[in-house]
Each structure stands twice: as structure tokens, then as C-alpha cells.
Amino acid sequence: MTMTESPPSEAAESTEPVAATPGAGLYDALTTSDHKAIGRIWLRLGLLLLLGVAVLGVLVALEGTSADGADVFGGVNAVWQMQGLYSVGLVLLVVPALTIGLATIVVPMQVGSSNIAFPRAAAAAAWGFVVGVAIMVVSVLAGGGWGALDGVSGGEADAIELTLLGMGMVAASILLACICLATTVVSLRTPGMGLMKTPLFAWSILVSASVWILTLPVLIANLIIIVVDLRGGPLLFGNPEGTTMIFDQVHWVLEQPAVFVLGIPVLGIIGSIVPVVAGARHIAHAGLMAAIGVAGLLAVGGWSQPAFSDQRDELLFVAFGLLAVVPVLASLALNSLTLAKAGPQVGLPPAQLLGALGAGLLLLLGTGAGALRVIGPFDLIGTGADAGVVHLVAYAAVVGLAAGMWFWASKIGGYALPNAAGLGVMLDFIGAAVLMGAAHVLIGFDFASGLNDAMAWVVFVGAILAVLGAVGVVSSVASAKRSGDEPGDDPWHGHTLEWATVTPVPAGNFVGALARVTSEAPLLDVAEQADSDEGGAS
């Protein structure tokens, strides 16, 4: 099956000299303008960060398993710094890196583009993120972080400034990558692909990128204010003298509604996998686009910063928290109806479907926990429920992105990821999310101290499952690259344009011009037309 207008012989001649080279060296990685190579930089760092943050999560959970603390890190300041690094690492490092990496590879192909918009800027964003992460992590280990509970020495203040600098570089890099991705979807779609015909994953990336474009400049402004204060200002906002004010000023990006942006690409991944499993087009593509768009509107959170004016008991904040459940529920319902009318199965391994549906249910639990959190009588704001929402939403994103990696593995690196390992990875991450998320929410209700102690151990078990899941992803990718198995150009009988190119994907993505798109599922259109022609001929 092909969507190009070039003859097969011409395609064969023009493909060979521009074949993709996923094993390129460091110089090529530093100078590349190919979106696939840039995306792999994000993904590799994202997987490394996933493993590191998961291990850190185990240590943080162990610290909380006793009332006196296990003294894993050696002192109250170190505990505060590591808890901050874990939270920021999960929400601002791991999930954005994996999301941008997957999107940078897949989205240009989905919309029929030969490359990402502003490829040099996209490469600069990737390497800026690498440098920002390195500065932030090293400075935290050197005594920096986001303030301290028992005062800050001069050397620690310098390390804190480096932490804030690294965090600013991370935010600016994500912002630049989002501009490249959003411009690709808006401006580089193939002829015939109107915005309402955009594939759901590309649409979800446009929505989430737009949310980040609105949100991250606010975070960068927060960081500038704190650094100015630390450098000798009036210390109105960033007073480091034994307070939590520095972390309080940036913590809003780790809370609802801002944290819900992590789940928006999950809805796009579900919408990409489900119709392929069903062997049929979505029953309501426009409805799913609307659900993703509404989820994006409800994830804009720069206005909700409690450090300046606490909005968490105001009507708008409560409405955002309650309504966030609606687009997730609508998306899951429409995808379920699509599955209900499934046609002939094409043999999609169950790991992808388990990951997609599991991620959707986790996201529903996360937004549901967020709804409970904003209901006044429960009084859950500022309790363990905060961490419960973060874990459910962030690990929903991790599960969904893992499912996407298994689904698009042939286009990412030219290999197939092992299905059995994929099932284990999905189950590990789903178990980790449920245990850590639910336990934190129950701790927030504060039923009894004995129950809270038990829940702390449940969190610890969940953190171990997260490490197992991270090890499973990394080992699966490593073994798949060594095996050399060729999955084929379109192993799942996909519906969108990324499956119209060869594997490994050549430079420029497509050979020849693409035929004009007439719907959101152009390859399914081709298959249906072929079936119709055969029926007419018989």
C-alpha cells in the first residue's frame, strides 16, 4: 500500500542513497537537522531520566516509610532537595522529554511533511534540554535545589541559583520544541489535510504544545523573579532563610490544572491505536478532536499560582478541577464505541492496546482524584492527595508514551520491540501508578495514622514497580536494536501517513509526492478503495 504518486521503480531508486542512519555518531547528532535523529536524542535522554527518577522515587518513598524518616539522604535539607528533584524530574523532565521525542519523530510523518518546522531550532532545543538537565541535577546534588528548611549558606545560595538556571533552560528548551511542533502541524500539513483531518496524535501534540507555550513563559518569569531576589533584591518572593518560598513559587507547574497537560498526548495515542485495532475509522473523529481541545483549555494553569494569590478555593479553580474529568471520559467513551464496531483484526500485539487503554483509565483516575481534591469539604489541597494526582497523571503519560513507543517502534528506530516485554512494562507502570497514586490520595484523607503508615509502604512498593518498568523499557530498546529484526513498513495496517513510508524511514520521509488526502485516515481510504475496486471487478 502506498500514498505516493511515484512509480515503484522510481521509489526504489531514490530511497537507497538517503536511507536513515539511526546509528550515527556524536558529530552527526550535534549537527543533524533530521527530525528523526533529533527525536531520538529526546527519547534517549527521556529513558535515562525515567530510570534515574524511578530509582530516586524508591529512595524518597523509603524516606517516608517511618515517622522519624529512614535518613536515606542525611539531613532535612537533603531530603527537601531530593523530594523537589523527584517531583520536578517526573513532571518537567521525564514526561516532556519522552513526549517531545516521540512527537518530533512521528508528527512530521503523520501530517505528510518531509521534516519538522525550524529543524535547527528543534536541534537546539534538544541540546539545550540536555545542558539544562545536567546543570539542574548537578547543582541539586551540590546542595542547591529549591530552597531549604533550615536556612541557606552562601555556597548553597549559589547552587540554588544554578538549579533555577538549569530549570529555566529546561523550560525554554521545551518551549522552543513546542513552537517547532505546533508550527509543523499548523503549516506543513500535506495537501488536502485540513485541520479537522489532522490525525489525533498530531492534533493532541498541537494542543499540548499550545498549552506549554502559554504556560512555560510564566514559569520562566517566576524563575527570573526568584533569581533577582536571591542576587540581592528585597527577597519578597524568594526569601531562602529557612522557608519553602522558592519551591512554593514554582510548585504550581506540578499541580492541577497545569499538570494535566501531561495527559493530553495520551488521548492522541489512544486515538491512534484504537482504530487500527478495530480495523475501522473512528465513529466521531471531530468529537475526539473536541475532547482533546477541551482538555487543553482546562490544562492552562499559569493563572492559578497560590504563591501570589491563592485561587484554590475560588469558583474558577474548582470548575477547572471538576470539568477536567469530562474530556477524558468523553474520549474513552468514543474510543470504546469504535472498538465495539471492530472489523477484522490485524494482529496488533496486545501490549499497545493494554498500554493505551491502561493510560486512559489512569488519566481518568488522575482527573477524578483532582476533582475530589477541589471539593471543599474533603479539604485535600496541601495533603498527600497533591502527590496522588501527580503520580496518576504523570504515570498515565508514561504508560501511554510506552504504548506509543511499541506502536511506532519501526518508525522510531527501524526495529520491533518485543511484545512479551511490552506487556510486562505496561503492567509494571500501571501497577506503580495505581499503588502510588491511590496510596497518596488515601494519605490525604488522613483516616488514621496506622493506615497512613501502611500507605507509605504501598507507595514504596509502587516505586519499585516503576523501576522495574523503566528497566523493562530500556532493556527492550537495547535488545531490539541488537536483534536486527525487520518489522516491515506497515506491520499493523495503520491508517495514517507515517505508515506510508518505508522502514527504516529515509531522509525526507517520503519518496515522491503524496496523493491528496481526503480524510483523517488516508491509508484506510486507499484500502477501502482497493476493496471496492476488487468487488466491482468480480
Side-chain angles (χ1 to χ4, degrees), residues 73-330:
F73 301 110
V76 64
N77 271 356
V79 172
W80 173 254
Q81 292 156 2
M82 292 302 113
Q83 287 176 338
L85 182 59
Y86 172 69
S87 300
V88 172
L90 186 60
V91 173
L92 205 59
L93 303 186
V94 172
V95 177
L98 294 176
T99 300
I100 293 171
L102 189 63
T104 299
I105 294 172
V106 174
V107 165
M109 290 187 280
Q110 270 206 339
V111 300
S113 174
S114 62
N115 206 349
I116 194 170
F118 316 125
R120 294 296 185 189
W127 288 111
F129 188 84
V130 171
V131 174
V133 169
I135 292 174
M136 191 165 70
V137 172
V138 171
S139 63
V140 172
L141 296 177
W146 295 266
L149 299 180
D150 60 357
V152 179
S153 67
E156 287 174 333
D158 292 338
I160 289 172
E161 287 186 28
L162 281 176
T163 301
L164 299 175
L165 172 64
M167 191 175 186
M169 289 189 66
V170 164
S173 299
I174 296 172
L175 180 61
L176 182 56
C178 287
I179 291 171
C180 297
L181 288 167
T183 305
T184 301
V185 179
V186 170
S187 301
L188 299 184
R189 299 190 307 275
T190 192
M193 185 182 286
L195 199 59
M196 293 305 294
K197 296 176 185 175
T198 305
L200 289 176
F201 180 62
W203 171 253
S204 71
I205 292 300
L206 174 60
V207 171
S208 55
S210 300
V211 174
W212 268 323
I213 289 170
L214 292 172
T215 300
L216 291 176
V218 181
L219 175 61
I220 293 171
N222 289 149
L223 297 172
I224 292 172
I225 290 172
I226 298 170
V227 171
V228 170
D229 288 341
L230 286 172
R231 297 291 273 179
L235 298 176
L236 294 177
F237 307 111
N239 184 352
E241 298 301 326
T243 75
T244 63
M245 291 182 69
I246 293 177
F247 192 70
D248 291 344
Q249 193 174 324
V250 300
H251 189 257
W252 62 270
V253 80
L254 312 177
E255 290 188 1
Q256 65 185 100
V259 75
F260 289 151
V261 68
L262 305 182
I264 295 172
V266 171
L267 302 180
I269 291 170
I270 298 170
S272 297
I273 292 176
V274 163
V276 174
V277 175
R281 65 183 73 241
H282 274 299
I283 64 168
H285 181 80
L288 287 164
M289 292 186 73
I292 292 171
V294 171
L297 289 174
L298 296 174
V300 177
W303 56 272
S304 64
Q305 302 179 59
F308 293 97
S309 176
D310 197 345
Q311 304 286 325
R312 293 178 295 184
D313 58 352
E314 301 294 331
L315 178 60
L316 184 61
F317 187 86
V318 174
F320 266 53
L322 295 175
L323 292 175
V325 180
V326 176
V328 178
L329 191 59

Side-chain angles (χ1 to χ4, degrees), residues 434-449:
V434 171
L435 292 179
M436 289 191 287
H440 277 299
V441 171
L442 289 175
I443 290 172
F445 278 101
D446 196 23
F447 291 119
S449 60

